[in-house]
Amino acid sequence: DTGVSQNPRHKITKRGQNVTFRCDPISEHNRLYWYRQTLGQGPEFLTYFQNEAQLEKSRLLSDRFSAERPKGSFSTLEIQRTEQGDSAMYLCASSPRDRGANYGYTFGSGTRLTVV
Amino acid sequence: AQTVTQSQPEMSVQEAETVTLSCTYDTSENNYYLFWYKQPPSRQMILVIRQEAYKQQNATENRFSVNFQKAAKSFSLKISDSQLGDTAMYFCASTTTSGTYKYIFGTGTRLKVLA
């Protein structure tokens, strides 16, 4: 297992376009998280999946954002009608059910989005 | 609501010296966990050390140790024998023991180890 994989690593898009990011967690991890990290800030929680169920969404996740985790495996995060304020690093993390997230997440390398 | 505050945006330390990074937090929970994560330049975030709030003993992982002061809601990270590879952003984070286990992160401290 190569850890949490995120694609693409970098994405440059024009304002108003839609973008989709993918996260492949560690295979036996049933918990999956998305965070957003802007320059000079710590990561901020966006949403959480337990298996295929999206159990919590932050108020940061506006109607333009949607996340899915079909079949409880990989997850996608889509941003519609991108705005310059969406420019950030989008981090995915996963953790196993039996140990819980209190033992720490495994993070991916992130997708850096630049909206021009 | 939980909050985490890191008041040192940047720090530097000479190689082989010891440095302490500060973190304070606020929570209404009785039980919670605290973490320090390291984010090297252009690389993924990795867990450095974790502390369970109900344990009085300070956590230690090799050259990394914490000073957990529960009453003061303080959770500092000490790095001994600093190495060039310790150069990174360091984030303090907290989480509750139930629900989604989402983390609340501080704004980070950029640590540079000087040769």
Side-chain angles (χ1 to χ4, degrees), chain A residues 4 9 31 33 35 37 40-45 48 55-56 91 101-109, chain B residues 33 35 37 39 42-47 50 91 95-103 105-108:
Chain A
V4 178
R9 290 292 304 274
R31 298 172 185 266
Y33 301 80
Y35 283 79
Q37 185 178 17
Q41 299 296 317
E44 295 174 293
F45 171 78
Y48 161 66
L55 297 185
E56 185 168 344
L91 297 171
N102 291 329
Y103 284 85
Y105 299 154
T106 300
F107 278 91
S109 297
Chain B
Y33 290 77
F35 305 86
Y37 276 86
Q39 189 176 41
S42 301
R43 295 183 61 186
Q44 69 192 94
M45 197 173 302
I46 57 175
L47 177 65
R50 61 186 285 274
F91 292 97
T95 187
T96 58
T97 60
S98 62
T100 60
Y101 304 102
K102 64 185 177 186
Y103 288 2
F105 285 89
T107 52

Side-chain angles (χ1 to χ4, degrees), chain A residues 50-114:
Chain A
Q50 185 167 308
N51 299 312
E52 67 276 7
Q54 188 176 21
L55 297 185
E56 185 168 344
K57 288 170 43 174
S58 163
R59 283 174 289 182
L60 293 174
L61 220 62
S62 74
D63 292 344
R64 297 183 297 104
F65 287 72
S66 63
E68 294 182 339
R69 192 183 182 195
K71 302 179 182 178
S73 56
F74 70 92
S75 176
T76 58
L77 178 66
E78 180 183 16
I79 309 174
Q80 296 182 327
R81 305 181 302 281
T82 52
E83 302 173 355
Q84 286 189 323
D86 298 331
S87 296
M89 175 76 84
Y90 290 84
L91 297 171
C92 178
S94 68
S95 69
R97 174 184 58 195
D98 57 343
R99 298 195 72 193
N102 291 329
Y103 284 85
Y105 299 154
T106 300
F107 278 91
S109 297
T111 293
R112 182 169 296 283
L113 173 66
T114 303

Side-chain angles (χ1 to χ4, degrees), chain B residues 39-67:
Chain B
Q39 189 176 41
S42 301
R43 295 183 61 186
Q44 69 192 94
M45 197 173 302
I46 57 175
L47 177 65
V48 175
I49 198 165
R50 61 186 285 274
Q51 174 80 40
E52 299 170 59
Y54 62 87
K55 288 189 176 179
Q56 292 185 331
Q57 186 173 6
N58 290 325
T60 299
E61 288 287 343
N62 301 313
R63 298 183 295 108
F64 299 89
S65 62
V66 299
N67 182 5

